Structure formats: C-alpha cells, structure tokens
Amino acid sequence: MPVFADVMPEPSIWYPVGGYGPTSVYTPDLGIMLAKIRWSAFVVIFLLLLAYRIVCLWKIFKKAWLPSRWSLIPVYREYLRFKMIWRNGRWTATLLCPVMFAIVLIFTFFKVSERFGKDKEQFWMWLWFLNPIFLWILAFDKSKYKK
C-alpha cells in the first residue's frame, strides 16, 4: 500500500500562480490594478476641472462686483449667477428639474453674453457647447459687466 505522501500531488499543482495557500506568492490581479489607476485618474481629472471652474467663476463674480468667495458653494453659486443675470434668484428652483434647468440655462447663456457685451448670436451657443473654453474667455478677457 502506498504511503500518503506518495499519492498526494506536488504543492505547485495545488496552488496555481496567484492562488492562495502556504506556498504561493501573492501576485496582484492586473485588472484590479488598472481599475484602481483609472479610478484615481478620473478623480484627479474631476478635481482639476472643478478647480478650473471655480477659478473661472471667481473671476466672473469679481467682474460682476459679487463676493467672489461665494463661488465655492454650489447651490448658492447658482443662485448668485441667476441673480447676476436675471436680477432675481428664483430660477435657482429649476435645479430640481434637469430638463427645465437645461432650457433655462440656454436663455441664461444668452443673457450672459448680453451682460458682458459679447456677440449675442454666437457667443451664447459656444458658451453652451464648449463651456470650459468660453468660460475661460469670459473670465479673463477685457469685457466689462453691464448692469
């Protein structure tokens, strides 16, 4: 009768590479590593875009003689933007309905281009489609806010 040790397979067969056991070495899964890297890159890009937007809105608020520090608080920032453009903040309630907010935002971009003395026929459309670029233009060009 064979001895028990002669019947059992070698430990390398029991525990494949990356498996678990006393003789295996942990090898991290490449897919999990790439997912963590992509997630981290997404978070970094999101934070950079958020900082970019805050800087642009800070400058726009400064041009409109509004307290710039309030561009850091999201809902109040939208309230002040509507107050700056429409002379009242009641349109802030459209934040609750995304479809209505998108429609009101188109008209708001039209009024923004009017208030800052831009070409109304084209600037509002570019502000809608390429918002980050034209927000930068609006913030850092020589235009003045007209009440």
Side-chain angles (χ1 to χ4, degrees):
M1 181 169 214
V3 180
F4 183 70
D6 295 336
V7 177
M8 297 300 291
E10 291 294 320
S12 62
I13 297 172
W14 290 356
Y15 304 111
V17 175
Y20 301 99
T23 59
S24 67
V25 176
Y26 175 71
T27 55
D29 187 15
L30 184 62
I32 293 173
M33 285 177 38
L34 289 178
K36 287 180 182 178
I37 291 171
R38 279 182 282 186
W39 181 253
S40 300
F42 173 74
V43 169
V44 167
I45 290 171
F46 176 77
L47 290 175
L48 286 174
L49 286 175
L50 183 66
Y52 170 81
R53 185 168 174 79
I54 287 172
V55 166
C56 289
L57 288 174
W58 188 285
K59 294 292 282 184
I60 290 171
F61 277 30
K62 201 177 222 182
K63 278 185 178 184
W65 298 96
L66 290 171
S68 301
R69 65 185 175 273
W70 293 114
S71 66
L72 301 173
I73 302 172
V75 175
Y76 192 63
R77 170 181 56 218
E78 294 303 320
Y79 171 75
L80 285 178
R81 281 177 61 195
F82 282 124
K83 194 169 181 178
M84 172 177 65
I85 301 304
W86 295 100
R87 300 291 182 239
N88 59 28
R90 68 176 174 223
W91 291 105
T92 310
T94 61
L95 284 169
L96 301 173
C97 178
V99 175
M100 183 68 177
F101 182 69
I103 293 168
V104 169
L105 201 59
I106 291 172
F107 290 110
T108 301
F109 286 150
F110 186 77
K111 294 282 278 186
V112 165
S113 61
E114 179 182 313
R115 295 264 189 232
F116 283 94
K118 299 292 184 184
D119 183 21
K120 288 186 281 189
E121 288 81 26
Q122 293 179 357
F123 193 80
W124 73 269
M125 187 177 11
W126 291 114
L127 194 58
W128 173 257
F129 289 114
L130 296 172
N131 190 278
I133 296 169
F134 280 83
L135 201 62
W136 181 268
I137 291 171
L138 194 62
F140 292 99
D141 70 344
K142 302 269 187 229
S143 65
K144 301 286 183 196
Y145 176 74
K146 300 174 188 171
K147 290 188 176 187

